[in-house]
Amino acid sequence: MPSHKPARLKIWGRANSVNVQKVLWCARELGLPFDRIDAGMQYGQVDTPAYRVLNPNGRVPTLQDGDFVLWESNSIMRYLALRGIETDPRAAAGLLYPEAAVERARVDRWLDWTLSTLQPAERDLFWGTVRTPLEKRNAAAIAASAEATGKLWTIVDGYLSHDLPFVEGPNVTLADIALGSYARRWYGIDVPDRPHLPRMAAWYARLEERPAFQEFIAPPLT
């Protein structure tokens, strides 16, 4: 049965939000057409009554797929992958988010780990250096965040196999998208005494070659 042309999605969120970037990268890998609408920080909108109807949290990203609305970046990525599988079972979605329970669980754990463990540890490093003026920076908080984040990336480096190019096997999955979006921050910030992580560096270099990474993740940190 021929696949049908997917409807055009709306993705609310500013382009420099890491959680928005994950969703944009995912949608592009899946070949799903979308329009991005600026929202959050300098663009406002998230506190308006109309936006709060879409997302009561007043945060980004928010996805509109016809009458269906979804928030939370990792939930959006999972949905887009499942949508892609429904649209065309032969498409890349089955590689991004495997259907087999064990393989899917391996991907899911990294999505959860990124939000529960990596993001909180990394926050003071990113916000303290990229989004805080020099005279207002908390050097101790930045240093503590850099140390904690380095230890977490050491876990990723240790997990990566010499024989497999990506986190959970031979193909890019949602795990790589979630982790890779934060790795962009790690490599984009000057971190003194950065740990030597050769497997992670090789993995990250492979992600950098992907057109969707170059389009949405590689631009300067702001």
Side-chain angles (χ1 to χ4, degrees), residues 1-214:
M1 179 181 297
S3 60
H4 64 274
K5 184 177 181 180
R8 198 167 188 87
L9 306 167
K10 289 184 180 179
I11 299 172
W12 294 78
R14 51 193 167 78
N16 67 342
S17 161
V18 67
N19 289 322
V20 175
Q21 290 171 342
K22 289 187 293 184
V23 170
L24 299 176
W25 181 0
C26 177
R28 186 69 85 226
E29 291 279 357
L30 294 168
L32 297 173
F34 63 86
D35 295 312
R36 185 185 62 79
I37 303 168
D38 280 323
M41 291 184 70
Q42 70 268 34
Y43 300 106
Q45 301 209 58
V46 295
D47 290 325
T48 64
Y51 188 84
R52 288 299 179 110
V53 170
L54 300 175
N55 187 338
N57 302 287
R59 306 185 70 177
V60 294
T62 299
L63 173 75
Q64 286 181 278
D65 184 6
D67 294 332
F68 178 63
V69 178
L70 185 64
W71 31 268
E72 287 297 325
S73 59
N74 286 351
S75 293
I76 292 173
M77 289 201 299
R78 291 182 176 105
Y79 169 75
L80 292 179
L82 294 173
R83 185 184 188 277
I85 293 171
E86 290 177 352
T87 301
D88 185 354
R90 300 163 299 176
L95 300 178
L96 282 181
Y97 197 39
E99 295 186 76
V102 169
E103 294 178 3
R104 181 168 290 184
R106 286 173 174 160
V107 170
D108 278 333
R109 65 181 170 189
W110 289 111
L111 300 186
D112 294 339
W113 184 84
T114 300
L115 290 184
S116 69
T117 304
L118 180 62
Q119 185 176 30
E122 183 261 5
R123 181 176 175 81
D124 284 343
L125 173 62
F126 177 76
W127 277 82
T129 55
V130 176
R131 294 185 177 162
T132 303
L134 182 62
E135 66 276 8
K136 295 183 179 180
R137 293 178 184 175
N138 184 330
I142 292 171
S145 179
E147 181 180 5
T149 306
K151 290 179 180 178
L152 295 177
W153 284 124
T154 300
I155 293 173
V156 175
D157 184 79
Y159 183 82
L160 288 165
S161 168
H162 289 298
D163 301 323
L164 298 174
F166 300 107
V167 173
E168 287 299 343
N171 303 301
V172 166
T173 68
L174 298 185
D176 297 284
I177 292 177
L179 290 168
S181 299
Y182 280 92
R184 166 69 181 94
R185 290 177 162 195
W186 175 249
Y187 285 113
I189 296 172
D190 183 17
V191 178
D193 302 319
R194 190 191 309 273
H196 179 58
L197 305 173
R199 295 183 185 179
M200 178 179 164
W203 161 78
Y204 183 73
R206 286 188 284 273
L207 295 181
E208 287 184 300
E209 297 174 355
R210 303 186 75 82
F213 182 101
Q214 295 168 15

